[in-house]
Amino acid sequence: MTTITPDGTPDGTPDGTPAPGNCSPPRPSLRPGPVVPGTLTAVSHADQSPKAQHAEKGGSGTYPGAPRPERVRPTPLADLAEQLGCPAPDAGRPGAADAARPVMVTGITHDSRAVRPGDVYAALPGARLHGADFVAQAADLGATAVLTDPSGAERAAATGLPVLVVDNPRARMGALAVSIYGAPGEDLLQIGITGTSGKTTTAYLIEGGLRAAAAKVPDGGLTGLIGTVETRIGDERIKSERTTPEATDLQALFAVMRERGVRALAMEVSSHALVLGRVDGCVFDVAIFNNLSPEHMEFHSGMEDYFQAKAQLFTKARSRAGVVNLDDEYGKRLAEGESEVPVTTFSAEGHPDADWRAADVEVGTLGSTFTVHGPDGVTLRAASPIAGPFNVANALAAIVSLVVAGIDAQTAADGVAAVPGVPGRLERIDAGQPYLAVVDYAHKTDAVESVLRALRKVTDGKLHAVLGCGGDRDPHKRAPMGAAVARLADTAVLTSDNPRGEDPLAILATMLAGAAEVPIHERGTVLVEEERAVAIAAAVARAEPGDTVIVAGKGHEQGQDIAGVVRPFDDRQVLREAIEASLKSPQPNHQG
């Protein structure tokens, strides 16, 4: 250790009438009628994986990827071809007994491994391989047709399946999925969150508010959540593959939610999702913009390109109303005219021009309380159930978005305050130790600085931080992150995050160079330990009563990607085990 010191078969009725899964009730509402906002005193309260095999509810089979609805009314392939502007395809495989019958479609997927009987397989061009290379697998699994581009048409046609050819199949499959699953999103109240930091936390807080609202309405239905950590369908939880699912999976999820009684959902919307069309076919009732800071610069050409990607959510094609953070410079741009939809603004800093403002903020170790001031004299006490001033902004964003969606402000704030926590977001680990220990997903410079400053305010003793940087992306942020943790923590343990295809020591060298740029009188003790578990144990060994230990960067993740191999690794479990080991065998004090 280096130390720097100091310091399936198509379902439907025989006569072709819609199956029950496609018969939807009128658009749901969580609004109990005219309400007068009241005053609320809220009290805060004390869990990335590869594509999973998903067991269908009520069935015995398992399939890769997102769940699918159990009942889908078959759609004629000819109708989908007409929607795409393609020639009507030939029916069936040549020589098949049912070749003369119309081809019917009951699903769509872009993953050849996830094909089910009755699916359209979307064979998309990729960076290294083309989806058309896997059409034989899709055909063997029961695909009924192929959607592809001109470069994949010949390979697709070789299967004998009908082929729909368009110039950009990725841009068309979202709309096809909407048609195939019967426009399920239209029967759901949808709230989408974008921005750099806070999407996951805000989504959980909104879902808490939606649950509170649903509980107050007869037959209020279930709620849903789609995001980085997991998908929730009522109380069912499914690990997420990515922040925002691909369009084919997303529309299937909407259909499952509708089928199971979900009426409203909160969803994270990444810039990748907006650029790559994953939310094609979605029109959010409310779109939220939290903030913007440098990230994904290997994908975007710069901050302006990054912002324009996010701004797509605030077009009439994507949303009906916006909720925007006026404390953020990019949020101001949306509020000042760069949004196509009406915008409601909020400010956790109390900006007088904001429609909704926070005041009288009281920050604690487990959360914060604050006063909310809104239009027409609305005033109420509210709480963020997660510590940190930045989570006041997330809680305020959640409350305002719920109000814009038509929910009483008191009910919204009550539901937000009751959320028990968010996986990997300042998640407290308590094994009986006499100091605070938390795990957080902070993996950007701004987020690291914010969380360390927040913990500093509630730490009587010293602050010990474990931090790494991921490989194969955003190399420019490594030195600034090393500098931030060296400046703001008493002990900074630099370690591996997900090095992926890069040399972990090379990543650490860049972080260490950033730390070394901090003047010696401004920086704490800096340790370098490549093995993450050893790094966590090193931070724990230095902790004394009244101190705080934070393990940052991976949060909820349950694996560590090293040289393309993902091994099990959960910061929460490893931190708990390190604390338990230290309590059994107290180590000498190593504080610098």
Side-chain angles (χ1 to χ4, degrees):
M1 182 180 296
T2 302
T3 305
I4 297 179
T5 57
D7 307 312
T9 301
D11 289 322
T13 56
D15 63 356
T17 57
N22 292 87
C23 297
S24 304
R27 187 171 181 81
S29 175
L30 297 177
R31 308 167 191 177
V35 292
V36 178
T39 300
L40 171 69
T41 300
V43 181
S44 60
H45 294 253
D47 138 306
Q48 297 296 82
S49 67
K51 186 179 284 282
Q53 295 287 325
H54 179 76
E56 289 299 315
K57 188 174 183 179
S60 59
T62 59
Y63 297 92
R68 302 272 197 98
E70 294 179 5
R71 300 175 298 278
V72 179
R73 179 176 62 184
T75 301
L77 182 62
D79 290 357
L80 300 179
E82 182 178 0
Q83 178 178 332
L84 294 171
C86 294
D90 294 333
R93 295 196 189 196
D98 59 351
R101 297 177 58 187
V103 177
M104 306 301 286
V105 175
T106 54
I108 181 171
T109 182
H110 62 287
D111 185 343
S112 63
R113 300 165 297 179
V115 168
R116 306 186 189 189
D119 277 0
V120 170
Y121 168 53
L124 309 177
R128 291 174 295 178
L129 298 171
H130 196 292
D133 295 330
F134 306 97
V135 289
Q137 180 184 29
D140 289 343
L141 290 173
T144 196
V146 179
L147 170 70
T148 192
D149 64 353
S151 67
E154 184 176 348
R155 281 168 286 178
T159 63
L161 293 174
V163 181
L164 305 174
V165 182
V166 294
D167 288 336
N168 186 355
R170 177 180 287 280
R172 311 299 296 275
M173 66 183 187
L176 284 189
V178 171
S179 297
I180 291 166
Y181 295 119
E186 293 182 4
D187 298 309
L188 303 168
L189 171 65
Q190 302 175 54
I191 301 179
I193 309 101
T194 199
T196 302
S197 299
K199 293 190 297 298
T200 298
T201 296
T202 305
Y204 274 86
L205 298 179
I206 291 171
E207 201 251 356
L210 292 174
R211 286 187 177 229
K216 291 193 171 188
V217 179
D219 191 27
L222 303 176
T223 60
L225 181 145
I226 300 173
T228 302
V229 178
E230 63 187 353
T231 290
R232 287 185 177 182
I233 306 173
D235 291 327
E236 181 183 0
R237 305 169 73 169
I238 305 166
K239 288 182 182 179
S240 293
E241 181 188 358
R242 53 169 59 95
T243 296
T244 310
E246 193 59 80
T248 54
D249 290 339
L250 181 59
Q251 295 301 322
L253 272 174
F254 286 168
V256 171
M257 287 183 175
R258 177 179 65 184
E259 190 173 72
R260 298 186 189 174
V262 170
R263 298 289 184 85
L265 67 96
M267 175 177 157
E268 298 179 54
V269 184
S270 67
S271 60
H272 290 70
L274 290 159
V275 172
L276 298 175
R278 293 177 190 161
V279 290
D280 284 358
C282 298
V283 181
F284 293 91
D285 294 278
V286 183
I288 304 168
F289 180 88
N290 277 349
N291 50 66
L292 203 72
S293 60
E295 192 182 26
H296 303 308
M297 290 298 113
E298 81 288 348
F299 182 77
H300 298 287
S301 61
M303 285 300 291
E304 184 61 24
D305 181 61
Y306 188 25
F307 171 67
Q308 292 302 329
K310 298 287 191 182
Q312 290 184 37
L313 189 59
F314 298 84
T315 61
K316 293 178 180 179
R318 297 277 191 230
S319 62
R320 297 182 175 91
V323 170
V324 170
N325 183 4
L326 204 61
D327 296 330
D328 183 89
E329 61 177 306
Y330 291 98
K332 288 180 182 177
R333 288 177 56 177
L334 289 171
E336 292 171 356
E338 294 191 42
S339 168
E340 291 183 6
V341 299
V343 164
T344 300
T345 58
F346 69 91
S347 170
E349 297 176 5
H351 195 296
D353 293 337
D355 298 310
W356 293 81
R357 304 173 304 282
D360 307 319
V361 177
E362 298 178 7
V363 178
T365 56
L366 298 179
S368 304
T369 59
F370 56 100
T371 300
V372 178
H373 297 290
D376 303 320
V378 173
T379 299
L380 57 143
R381 284 294 285 176
S384 163
I386 310 169
F390 50 91
N391 281 316
V392 172
N394 293 331
L396 184 58
I399 292 168
V400 174
S401 67
L402 290 162
V403 172
V404 172
I407 294 170
D408 167 39
Q410 176 174 333
T411 300
D414 199 6
V416 166
V419 173
V422 178
R425 274 64 180 173
L426 278 176
E427 184 172 352
R428 187 170 182 174
I429 306 300
D430 190 350
Q433 77 277 8
Y435 52 86
L436 178 64
V438 296
V439 169
D440 193 77
Y441 191 52
H443 59 283
K444 304 172 283 288
T445 307
D446 289 355
V448 169
E449 291 176 346
S450 294
V451 73
L452 292 178
R453 288 194 174 100
L455 290 173
R456 178 66 73 188
K457 291 181 180 180
V458 297
T459 300
D460 294 329
K462 293 188 175 183
L463 180 57
H464 312 284
V466 179
L467 181 68
C469 290
D472 297 338
R473 60 192 63 177
D474 287 332
H476 67 279
K477 71 182 183 183
R478 296 169 186 171
M481 284 175 64
V485 69
R487 178 180 288 109
L488 297 173
D490 295 292
T491 306
V493 189
L494 308 183
T495 190
S496 296
D497 188 281
N498 292 309
R500 301 183 178 90
E502 288 194 64
D503 182 349
L505 289 180
I507 298 174
L508 284 169
T510 305
M511 292 186 70
L512 183 60
E517 292 178 1
V518 178
I520 192 168
H521 63 279
E522 294 181 12
R523 88 179 166 234
T525 299
V526 177
L527 312 178
V528 178
E529 174 52 63
E530 180 183 351
E531 291 293 328
R532 192 171 181 89
V534 177
I536 292 172
V540 166
R542 303 176 73 85
E544 294 186 332
D547 288 359
T548 293
V549 173
I550 175 173
V551 180
K554 290 173 57 59
H556 63 280
E557 294 179 6
Q558 297 179 31
Q560 186 177 27
D561 188 336
I562 302 176
V565 177
V566 179
R567 60 170 182 163
F569 197 100
D570 187 330
D571 279 352
R572 298 165 294 184
Q573 177 183 342
V574 174
L575 177 55
R576 179 178 296 277
E577 291 172 351
I579 294 170
E580 291 172 345
S582 72
L583 293 176
K584 292 176 181 177
S585 303
Q587 300 295 315
N589 186 305
H590 294 291
Q591 302 232 32

